[in-house]
Amino acid sequence: METTARGDVPKTLQTIAYISIPNSDDLEFLLWDLQDAITAYAQLSGTALPHPVDLKANDAGSVADGIVLAIEDVADDKTLTAIEQALERFGGTGTRVYAVIRATQEGAEQAHRTAVRLHKACERRDQLWCGGVVVCAGSGIAALRHSPRMGLLRRPFSEAMDKLVGAVRMGCSVEHAQLLGGGNAGSVDADGMVRVEPAVPAPIWRVIIRRLGAYAQSNI
């Protein structure tokens, strides 16, 4: 696709920075799910696992081959500044940049604008915007942590996340990874993102998430 054509060739990633901005249970869950899947597929295939960058290390030279950002679609100036600083700190020329965007509102229009901003930020630093996943589930998705990954509730998100896993493992854009792997490249939009929604209607989804969240709190 046009947004990722330049330099979008597979590259084995040696180091990856996984960054959640801001810190939240939902974003941490989405990053955890991604990392868990990457680890599982690496073990199944007998391939080396990319080394995660220590975000807390005070090392100005900790440049990563890949960056995965977990962010919300509504970002204030402070959050946008933090994202820019993360790209500046960990990204170098040719660094692959991916995103998991949690849509806080119905639809994905705001997520589209956020993806465009990320793409432009990458271009300014000569980094490669590789797309990602837009999770249109509202708040509380962290309540699914103990649900089966391929069960009814998590399956749509897991399948979308697996497309991101494939892209990270190949070191190219989500669309390119789908084309190379014989997957459904048509599910990738013009921003390089795969949009995913719950498998059940929104009113039922919200009730389920509230109950799962309340159950999790009662067991703490």
Side-chain angles (χ1 to χ4, degrees), residues 181-200:
N184 179 19
S187 63
V188 185
D189 66 20
D191 303 315
M193 308 296 290
V194 176
R195 176 180 172 179
V196 57
E197 299 178 349
V200 297

PDB file of all heavy atoms in Angstrom, residues 181-200:
ATOM      1  N   GLY A 181       2.170 -13.870   3.360  1.00  0.00           N
ATOM      2  CA  GLY A 181       1.685 -15.077   4.013  1.00  0.00           C
ATOM      3  C   GLY A 181       0.420 -15.646   3.411  1.00  0.00           C
ATOM      4  O   GLY A 181      -0.111 -16.641   3.911  1.00  0.00           O
ATOM      5  N   GLY A 182      -0.077 -15.008   2.352  1.00  0.00           N
ATOM      6  CA  GLY A 182      -1.298 -15.505   1.713  1.00  0.00           C
ATOM      7  C   GLY A 182      -2.546 -15.205   2.518  1.00  0.00           C
ATOM      8  O   GLY A 182      -3.569 -15.880   2.358  1.00  0.00           O
ATOM      9  N   GLY A 183      -2.489 -14.188   3.389  1.00  0.00           N
ATOM     10  CA  GLY A 183      -3.639 -13.828   4.211  1.00  0.00           C
ATOM     11  C   GLY A 183      -4.551 -12.835   3.511  1.00  0.00           C
ATOM     12  O   GLY A 183      -4.439 -12.594   2.301  1.00  0.00           O
ATOM     13  N   ASN A 184      -5.427 -12.223   4.290  1.00  0.00           N
ATOM     14  CA  ASN A 184      -6.410 -11.295   3.755  1.00  0.00           C
ATOM     15  C   ASN A 184      -5.892  -9.866   3.852  1.00  0.00           C
ATOM     16  O   ASN A 184      -6.137  -9.170   4.834  1.00  0.00           O
ATOM     17  CB  ASN A 184      -7.736 -11.434   4.529  1.00  0.00           C
ATOM     18  CG  ASN A 184      -8.784 -10.457   4.025  1.00  0.00           C
ATOM     19  OD1 ASN A 184      -8.685  -9.931   2.912  1.00  0.00           O
ATOM     20  ND2 ASN A 184      -9.796 -10.201   4.845  1.00  0.00           N
ATOM     21  N   ALA A 185      -5.180  -9.417   2.825  1.00  0.00           N
ATOM     22  CA  ALA A 185      -4.655  -8.054   2.815  1.00  0.00           C
ATOM     23  C   ALA A 185      -5.777  -7.027   2.695  1.00  0.00           C
ATOM     24  O   ALA A 185      -5.593  -5.858   3.030  1.00  0.00           O
ATOM     25  CB  ALA A 185      -3.656  -7.879   1.673  1.00  0.00           C
ATOM     26  N   GLY A 186      -6.951  -7.463   2.236  1.00  0.00           N
ATOM     27  CA  GLY A 186      -8.078  -6.549   2.114  1.00  0.00           C
ATOM     28  C   GLY A 186      -8.607  -6.065   3.440  1.00  0.00           C
ATOM     29  O   GLY A 186      -9.358  -5.087   3.502  1.00  0.00           O
ATOM     30  N   SER A 187      -8.221  -6.733   4.528  1.00  0.00           N
ATOM     31  CA  SER A 187      -8.671  -6.312   5.853  1.00  0.00           C
ATOM     32  C   SER A 187      -7.843  -5.143   6.388  1.00  0.00           C
ATOM     33  O   SER A 187      -8.172  -4.581   7.433  1.00  0.00           O
ATOM     34  CB  SER A 187      -8.564  -7.486   6.841  1.00  0.00           C
ATOM     35  OG  SER A 187      -7.211  -7.898   6.998  1.00  0.00           O
ATOM     36  N   VAL A 188      -6.789  -4.773   5.660  1.00  0.00           N
ATOM     37  CA  VAL A 188      -5.919  -3.675   6.075  1.00  0.00           C
ATOM     38  C   VAL A 188      -6.373  -2.398   5.382  1.00  0.00           C
ATOM     39  O   VAL A 188      -6.472  -2.354   4.149  1.00  0.00           O
ATOM     40  CB  VAL A 188      -4.448  -3.971   5.721  1.00  0.00           C
ATOM     41  CG1 VAL A 188      -3.534  -2.877   6.265  1.00  0.00           C
ATOM     42  CG2 VAL A 188      -4.029  -5.337   6.257  1.00  0.00           C
ATOM     43  N   ASP A 189      -6.662  -1.342   6.156  1.00  0.00           N
ATOM     44  CA  ASP A 189      -7.170  -0.122   5.545  1.00  0.00           C
ATOM     45  C   ASP A 189      -6.030   0.750   5.013  1.00  0.00           C
ATOM     46  O   ASP A 189      -4.856   0.381   5.063  1.00  0.00           O
ATOM     47  CB  ASP A 189      -8.066   0.649   6.516  1.00  0.00           C
ATOM     48  CG  ASP A 189      -7.310   1.201   7.727  1.00  0.00           C
ATOM     49  OD1 ASP A 189      -6.073   1.338   7.672  1.00  0.00           O
ATOM     50  OD2 ASP A 189      -7.967   1.500   8.744  1.00  0.00           O
ATOM     51  N   ALA A 190      -6.395   1.930   4.507  1.00  0.00           N
ATOM     52  CA  ALA A 190      -5.415   2.811   3.872  1.00  0.00           C
ATOM     53  C   ALA A 190      -4.360   3.324   4.843  1.00  0.00           C
ATOM     54  O   ALA A 190      -3.295   3.790   4.415  1.00  0.00           O
ATOM     55  CB  ALA A 190      -6.136   3.989   3.222  1.00  0.00           C
ATOM     56  N   ASP A 191      -4.640   3.261   6.143  1.00  0.00           N
ATOM     57  CA  ASP A 191      -3.667   3.697   7.148  1.00  0.00           C
ATOM     58  C   ASP A 191      -2.750   2.567   7.584  1.00  0.00           C
ATOM     59  O   ASP A 191      -1.880   2.760   8.428  1.00  0.00           O
ATOM     60  CB  ASP A 191      -4.393   4.251   8.386  1.00  0.00           C
ATOM     61  CG  ASP A 191      -5.328   5.394   8.043  1.00  0.00           C
ATOM     62  OD1 ASP A 191      -4.903   6.280   7.271  1.00  0.00           O
ATOM     63  OD2 ASP A 191      -6.467   5.408   8.531  1.00  0.00           O
ATOM     64  N   GLY A 192      -2.973   1.376   7.036  1.00  0.00           N
ATOM     65  CA  GLY A 192      -2.173   0.232   7.427  1.00  0.00           C
ATOM     66  C   GLY A 192      -2.707  -0.481   8.655  1.00  0.00           C
ATOM     67  O   GLY A 192      -2.019  -1.319   9.234  1.00  0.00           O
ATOM     68  N   MET A 193      -3.947  -0.149   9.047  1.00  0.00           N
ATOM     69  CA  MET A 193      -4.516  -0.694  10.274  1.00  0.00           C
ATOM     70  C   MET A 193      -5.582  -1.751   9.988  1.00  0.00           C
ATOM     71  O   MET A 193      -6.315  -1.671   9.008  1.00  0.00           O
ATOM     72  CB  MET A 193      -5.146   0.428  11.103  1.00  0.00           C
ATOM     73  CG  MET A 193      -4.230   1.623  11.378  1.00  0.00           C
ATOM     74  SD  MET A 193      -2.784   1.196  12.373  1.00  0.00           S
ATOM     75  CE  MET A 193      -3.544   0.874  13.977  1.00  0.00           C
ATOM     76  N   VAL A 194      -5.662  -2.725  10.885  1.00  0.00           N
ATOM     77  CA  VAL A 194      -6.739  -3.717  10.869  1.00  0.00           C
ATOM     78  C   VAL A 194      -7.722  -3.332  11.963  1.00  0.00           C
ATOM     79  O   VAL A 194      -7.348  -3.226  13.138  1.00  0.00           O
ATOM     80  CB  VAL A 194      -6.191  -5.133  11.133  1.00  0.00           C
ATOM     81  CG1 VAL A 194      -7.338  -6.140  11.218  1.00  0.00           C
ATOM     82  CG2 VAL A 194      -5.205  -5.545  10.046  1.00  0.00           C
ATOM     83  N   ARG A 195      -8.950  -3.095  11.605  1.00  0.00           N
ATOM     84  CA  ARG A 195      -9.973  -2.694  12.575  1.00  0.00           C
ATOM     85  C   ARG A 195     -10.715  -3.927  13.070  1.00  0.00           C
ATOM     86  O   ARG A 195     -11.114  -4.777  12.272  1.00  0.00           O
ATOM     87  CB  ARG A 195     -10.954  -1.720  11.934  1.00  0.00           C
ATOM     88  CG  ARG A 195     -12.096  -1.322  12.843  1.00  0.00           C
ATOM     89  CD  ARG A 195     -13.033  -0.345  12.156  1.00  0.00           C
ATOM     90  NE  ARG A 195     -14.228  -0.102  12.929  1.00  0.00           N
ATOM     91  CZ  ARG A 195     -15.204   0.728  12.566  1.00  0.00           C
ATOM     92  NH1 ARG A 195     -15.106   1.394  11.431  1.00  0.00           N
ATOM     93  NH2 ARG A 195     -16.266   0.897  13.334  1.00  0.00           N
ATOM     94  N   VAL A 196     -10.914  -4.018  14.385  1.00  0.00           N
ATOM     95  CA  VAL A 196     -11.585  -5.183  14.949  1.00  0.00           C
ATOM     96  C   VAL A 196     -12.617  -4.743  15.978  1.00  0.00           C
ATOM     97  O   VAL A 196     -12.380  -3.823  16.770  1.00  0.00           O
ATOM     98  CB  VAL A 196     -10.565  -6.161  15.576  1.00  0.00           C
ATOM     99  CG1 VAL A 196      -9.713  -5.490  16.642  1.00  0.00           C
ATOM    100  CG2 VAL A 196     -11.260  -7.389  16.145  1.00  0.00           C
ATOM    101  N   GLU A 197     -13.776  -5.398  15.959  1.00  0.00           N
ATOM    102  CA  GLU A 197     -14.870  -5.110  16.889  1.00  0.00           C
ATOM    103  C   GLU A 197     -15.261  -6.394  17.621  1.00  0.00           C
ATOM    104  O   GLU A 197     -14.929  -7.500  17.173  1.00  0.00           O
ATOM    105  CB  GLU A 197     -16.078  -4.554  16.124  1.00  0.00           C
ATOM    106  CG  GLU A 197     -15.803  -3.250  15.399  1.00  0.00           C
ATOM    107  CD  GLU A 197     -17.021  -2.764  14.627  1.00  0.00           C
ATOM    108  OE1 GLU A 197     -17.995  -3.553  14.497  1.00  0.00           O
ATOM    109  OE2 GLU A 197     -17.001  -1.621  14.156  1.00  0.00           O
ATOM    110  N   PRO A 198     -15.989  -6.284  18.724  1.00  0.00           N
ATOM    111  CA  PRO A 198     -16.456  -7.483  19.438  1.00  0.00           C
ATOM    112  C   PRO A 198     -17.352  -8.340  18.556  1.00  0.00           C
ATOM    113  O   PRO A 198     -17.997  -7.843  17.622  1.00  0.00           O
ATOM    114  CB  PRO A 198     -17.226  -6.902  20.629  1.00  0.00           C
ATOM    115  CG  PRO A 198     -16.662  -5.529  20.817  1.00  0.00           C
ATOM    116  CD  PRO A 198     -16.338  -5.043  19.439  1.00  0.00           C
ATOM    117  N   ALA A 199     -17.423  -9.624  18.880  1.00  0.00           N
ATOM    118  CA  ALA A 199     -18.249 -10.553  18.104  1.00  0.00           C
ATOM    119  C   ALA A 199     -19.716 -10.462  18.491  1.00  0.00           C
ATOM    120  O   ALA A 199     -20.574 -11.019  17.799  1.00  0.00           O
ATOM    121  CB  ALA A 199     -17.748 -11.983  18.317  1.00  0.00           C
ATOM    122  N   VAL A 200     -20.007  -9.765  19.583  1.00  0.00           N
ATOM    123  CA  VAL A 200     -21.395  -9.628  20.037  1.00  0.00           C
ATOM    124  C   VAL A 200     -21.812  -8.166  19.924  1.00  0.00           C
ATOM    125  O   VAL A 200     -20.965  -7.275  19.883  1.00  0.00           O
ATOM    126  CB  VAL A 200     -21.548 -10.117  21.499  1.00  0.00           C
ATOM    127  CG1 VAL A 200     -21.223 -11.590  21.600  1.00  0.00           C
ATOM    128  CG2 VAL A 200     -20.659  -9.308  22.444  1.00  0.00           C
TER     129      VAL A 200
END
